[in-house]
Amino acid sequence: MTGIKYEDFLDLGYEPADSELVCDFYIEPAHDMNMEEAASRVASESSNGTWAELQVDGSITDLSATACDIDGNHITVAYPDALFEKGSMPQILSCIAGNIMGMKAVDNIRLLDCEWPEAIATSFMGPQFGSSVRNEIFDAGDRPITATVPKPKVGLSTDQHVQVGYEAWTGGLDLLKDDENLTDQDFNPFEKRLYDSIEARDKAEEETGEKKSYLINITADGDEMLRRAELVADEGCEYVMVDVVTTGWAAVQQVRELCEDLGLAIHAHRAMHAAFDRVEEHGVSMRVIAQICRLCGVDQLHTGTADLGKLANEDTVGINEWMYSDLYGMNDVLPMASGGLHPGLVPELVDRVGTNIGVQAGGGVHGHPDGTYAGAKAFRQAVDATAEGIDIHEYAADHPELQTALDKWGTETPR
């Protein structure tokens, strides 16, 4: 018989193999645990250990994770790739972010980062388009693409919603976007909103000579999402939007597979992410959530505003860099900056994160004193000026919509 004990999961001299999934955690051990004891329990519980010392007859497949580094409150755990079902994000997360989040051995635990081995990463489809949407769909050149959400985000009738979209498109914005909680309610049914919005989109394209599109929220149960995606493709729209956290990763993978056949890009809204990543000592970091999104195959993802806007601070720059990085030839993801943006913040945003992004404003468009059309013009003017290296205050001298926006909001960050 072979005994399996907690200490068997700790080896601070171990060098992870290239084939292993390597995860970095922040942990705060329980009051009666030291770091070594807590680290070994994290590796044990997230692989093939248990609380009791086991006596095993014969040989078993070695699927033990190894806690291989401790640096202050940071630990590194290496997982053999045979532990995982390839191409199944739910199964992988059930290991590396499952029971360990509730263990008594740690007061807090946070999954900070992952190094994905090739065999696991390439078992996922990844993005179909990624940041190439900027030019494959919109011919945006060196500028960010632009988007807006009608405000209020729920409560507008379909006719009101479509009118807002039409004014935003003709004002110069590229994308109309549903917000996370607008799907198929009686006041604005999904199918009517789709049909009427695409009709208005086509009219806006004819009038402006620019490509326009619509990020329509198909979030629902799995079968219904697939049905809605097919309707979207039938109408000649280029995108679907999915609330990726609330709908679940298996459903995202299903949508991605169908979108390969339909030629649709996937815009990922991250609603509920802060339930996992806002408390800095516990949960799952937005960096890891972004990694999961890329593997599962979204093309655009909200990643924050680099401490501008109204949302809590997060590592937008670092997350964006990872999403652009080489990952065994997998397509990248276009970061979307949103949450409290307005024209006066565009230059600083681009200075911090570059132009290979999408920028989205809701209140910063529709709250313009002269309405949505003027607000869209002002936002596009700010983007164009910044992409061309022109000071927006100088640009505003010949662009009254931008000047009005600057007079109203200046360059202040909202709360």
Side-chain angles (χ1 to χ4, degrees), residues 217-332:
N217 189 3
I218 66 169
T219 300
D221 67 78
D223 289 342
E224 178 63 13
M225 281 202 295
L226 300 181
R227 188 188 76 86
R228 291 177 185 177
E230 290 178 339
L231 290 176
V232 171
D234 288 344
E235 289 303 301
C237 189
E238 294 80 10
Y239 283 92
V240 292
M241 175 181 136
V242 179
D243 296 338
V244 292
V245 178
T246 58
T247 202
W249 303 113
V252 176
Q253 290 184 250
Q254 282 184 289
V255 171
R256 171 63 181 90
E257 186 172 352
L258 179 61
C259 285
E260 180 76 17
D261 297 330
L262 299 177
L264 294 175
I266 300 172
H267 179 91
H269 195 295
R270 59 179 182 165
M272 199 180 173
H273 75 97
F276 300 93
D277 68 29
R278 181 159 184 170
V279 178
E280 294 183 357
E281 298 81 18
H282 191 78
V284 179
S285 72
M286 184 59 211
R287 181 181 180 89
V288 172
I289 294 172
Q291 293 171 3
I292 295 165
C293 286
R294 184 177 181 184
L295 292 171
C296 289
V298 310
D299 298 287
Q300 298 177 183
L301 171 67
H302 296 254
T303 62
T305 58
D307 206 23
L308 298 168
K310 66 182 181 181
L311 301 178
N313 185 31
E314 54 195 2
D315 182 24
T316 301
V317 173
I319 293 168
N320 290 3
E321 288 176 350
W322 190 92
M323 292 206 300
Y324 298 137
S325 68
D326 177 64
L327 189 65
Y328 313 109
M330 182 177 287
N331 284 337
D332 62 3

Side-chain angles (χ1 to χ4, degrees), residues 131-397:
S131 66
S132 69
V133 297
R134 290 178 52 242
N135 290 311
E136 287 193 19
I137 295 177
F138 296 106
D139 193 25
D142 294 330
R143 69 168 175 86
I145 60 172
T146 56
T148 191
V149 177
K151 298 293 182 178
K153 55 186 175 181
V154 291
L156 297 177
S157 68
T158 301
D159 289 346
Q160 291 171 317
H161 187 278
V162 170
Q163 181 62 30
V164 169
Y166 173 75
E167 292 179 11
W169 281 318
T170 54
L173 302 190
D174 303 300
L175 285 160
L176 176 68
K177 175 188 165 297
D178 289 346
D179 222 332
E180 74 280 0
N181 52 351
L182 179 62
T183 54
D184 185 32
Q185 292 98 314
D186 289 343
F187 59 84
N188 194 353
F190 177 87
E191 292 187 26
K192 179 173 173 54
R193 186 169 76 253
L194 169 65
Y195 303 146
D196 292 358
S197 294
I198 294 303
E199 183 178 352
R201 187 278 307 265
D202 292 345
K203 182 181 178 183
E205 286 183 342
E206 292 177 4
E207 293 178 7
T208 64
E210 293 184 337
K211 184 66 180 176
K212 309 292 179 181
S213 196
Y214 179 24
L215 308 175
I216 185 166
N217 189 3
I218 66 169
T219 300
D221 67 78
D223 289 342
E224 178 63 13
M225 281 202 295
L226 300 181
R227 188 188 76 86
R228 291 177 185 177
E230 290 178 339
L231 290 176
V232 171
D234 288 344
E235 289 303 301
C237 189
E238 294 80 10
Y239 283 92
V240 292
M241 175 181 136
V242 179
D243 296 338
V244 292
V245 178
T246 58
T247 202
W249 303 113
V252 176
Q253 290 184 250
Q254 282 184 289
V255 171
R256 171 63 181 90
E257 186 172 352
L258 179 61
C259 285
E260 180 76 17
D261 297 330
L262 299 177
L264 294 175
I266 300 172
H267 179 91
H269 195 295
R270 59 179 182 165
M272 199 180 173
H273 75 97
F276 300 93
D277 68 29
R278 181 159 184 170
V279 178
E280 294 183 357
E281 298 81 18
H282 191 78
V284 179
S285 72
M286 184 59 211
R287 181 181 180 89
V288 172
I289 294 172
Q291 293 171 3
I292 295 165
C293 286
R294 184 177 181 184
L295 292 171
C296 289
V298 310
D299 298 287
Q300 298 177 183
L301 171 67
H302 296 254
T303 62
T305 58
D307 206 23
L308 298 168
K310 66 182 181 181
L311 301 178
N313 185 31
E314 54 195 2
D315 182 24
T316 301
V317 173
I319 293 168
N320 290 3
E321 288 176 350
W322 190 92
M323 292 206 300
Y324 298 137
S325 68
D326 177 64
L327 189 65
Y328 313 109
M330 182 177 287
N331 284 337
D332 62 3
V333 176
L334 183 71
M336 295 294 293
S338 65
L341 293 178
H342 58 73
L345 296 176
V346 170
E348 181 61 24
L349 175 69
V350 169
D351 183 64
R352 295 184 188 187
V353 300
T355 58
N356 190 22
I357 59 171
V359 290
Q360 176 186 303
V365 167
H366 312 299
H368 191 284
D370 298 321
T372 293
Y373 177 75
K377 292 190 73 171
F379 199 62
R380 175 65 182 271
Q381 289 162 4
V383 168
D384 286 345
T386 301
E388 294 169 17
I390 303 172
D391 181 86
I392 59 169
H393 297 279
E394 176 184 336
Y395 200 79

Side-chain angles (χ1 to χ4, degrees), residues 5-11 25 27-30 32-53 64-68 70 75-77 79 95-96 98-107 109:
K5 307 176 292 298
Y6 278 130
E7 50 264 37
D8 296 330
F9 295 85
L10 179 70
D11 182 356
F25 296 91
I27 65 171
E28 295 176 359
D32 57 347
M33 292 273 173
N34 60 39
M35 284 295 297
E36 288 79 6
E37 291 169 332
S40 66
R41 282 161 172 76
V42 170
S44 168
E45 182 63 36
S46 55
S47 59
N48 66 341
T50 188
W51 66 271
E53 182 177 336
S64 297
T66 303
C68 56
I70 298 175
I75 69 169
T76 301
V77 179
Y79 297 88
C95 295
I96 64 174
N99 285 351
I100 56 174
M101 294 296 164
M103 292 172 57
K104 290 182 179 179
V106 292
D107 289 338
I109 178 170

